[in-house]
Amino acid sequence: GAVVSQHPSRVICKSGTSVKIECRSLDFQATTMFWYRQFPKKSLMLMATSNEGSKATYEQGVEKDKFLINHASLTLSTLTVTSAHPEDSSFYICSATHQGGVYGYTFGSGTRLTVV
Amino acid sequence: AQTVTQSQPEMSVQEAETVTLSCTYDTSENNYYLFWYKQPPSRQMILVIRQEAYKQQNATENRFSVNFQKAAKSFSLKISDSQLGDTAMYFCAFMKRGFNKFYFGSGTKLNVKP
C-alpha cells in the first residue's frame, strides 16, 4: 500500500531557530502534498497545499514566510518553520495524493514540534 | 463554508459491543464526499470508510458502517464487535468533489474497554 514517511517524529528547537520537517512518499509519486497542523485535542487544520514544482498554496491566516513549503520532487515535500516561537509548538502532519482523486490520500505519522 | 461537527468528545464501549459515533455537517454543495478517519495513539491517520454523496447506499467496510442521511446532513459511524484496537480518535471529514481539501470535525475519542 501507499506509504508516507515523515521525519523527524519529534523535534525540540530553541526559540528563534528554524526547523525542517520532511515528508516522503515511499512507493508512489505524490503530485500533491498537504501540510496540516493539529493542536492538542483538536482537529487537523490545513495549512497549505503544494504541487510538485510549483509554489504552495497557503490557507488563509497561515504565514507564508514563517512556514516555508518546498515540493521539489514527486516524492518529497518539506516544511520549514522559520524563526520558531513557542506558539509554533504543535503536531504537524503531512498527506499526499497518489491517485489524483479523492480516495488517494495517505497521511504521514506526524511530527511533534516543541519550541523552547 | 463547510463545517463538520462531532458532538461527542469522548465515548466508551465494552469490547465486542456496538458503538455509534455521530457527525453532522453543513454545506450548500451537492457533490461531495464524506470520510471517517481513525487516529490511534501512534498518531497515524488511517482511512476507515468513505461515502460519495451521490450514492444512497450506505458504505460498509467489515465491522464499520455508516448511516448517511443526506437531507439531514448526518453521517454517523457504527462500529460493530468493537475491538481493543479500535481505541483511537475518530475524525469525520468532508471534501467537496473536485477539491483537494478536507474539512475535519473536532474528533471523538473512543475507548474500547476489555
Side-chain angles (χ1 to χ4, degrees), chain A residues 59-108:
Chain A
E59 294 296 304
Q60 189 174 7
V62 178
E63 298 178 61
K64 300 179 183 181
D65 295 333
K66 166 165 277 297
F67 300 100
L68 300 180
I69 292 171
N70 183 278
H71 192 168
S73 76
L74 284 171
T75 60
L76 174 65
S77 177
T78 60
L79 167 66
T80 301
V81 183
T82 63
S83 186
H85 290 117
E87 56 264 32
D88 298 325
S89 298
S90 192
F91 193 72
Y92 294 87
I93 304 177
C94 71
S95 176
T97 59
H98 61 287
Q99 293 179 357
V102 69
Y103 301 141
Y105 295 90
T106 304
F107 286 81

Side-chain angles (χ1 to χ4, degrees), chain A residues 32 34 36 38 41-44 46 49 59 91 93 97 102-103 105 107-109 112, chain B residues 33 35 37 39 42-45 47 50 52 91 95 99-102 104-107:
Chain A
T32 305
F34 310 85
Y36 293 85
Q38 185 177 26
K41 298 184 179 181
K42 296 289 186 181
S43 186
L44 283 72
L46 180 65
T49 302
E59 294 296 304
F91 193 72
I93 304 177
T97 59
V102 69
Y103 301 141
Y105 295 90
F107 286 81
S109 54
R112 165 70 62 195
Chain B
Y33 305 88
F35 305 80
Y37 274 91
Q39 188 180 41
S42 67
R43 305 301 293 270
Q44 179 83 48
M45 293 286 283
L47 177 65
R50 61 199 175 226
E52 297 93 330
F91 291 98
M95 180 181 284
F99 287 80
N100 281 324
K101 182 174 181 177
F102 282 108
F104 286 95
S106 55

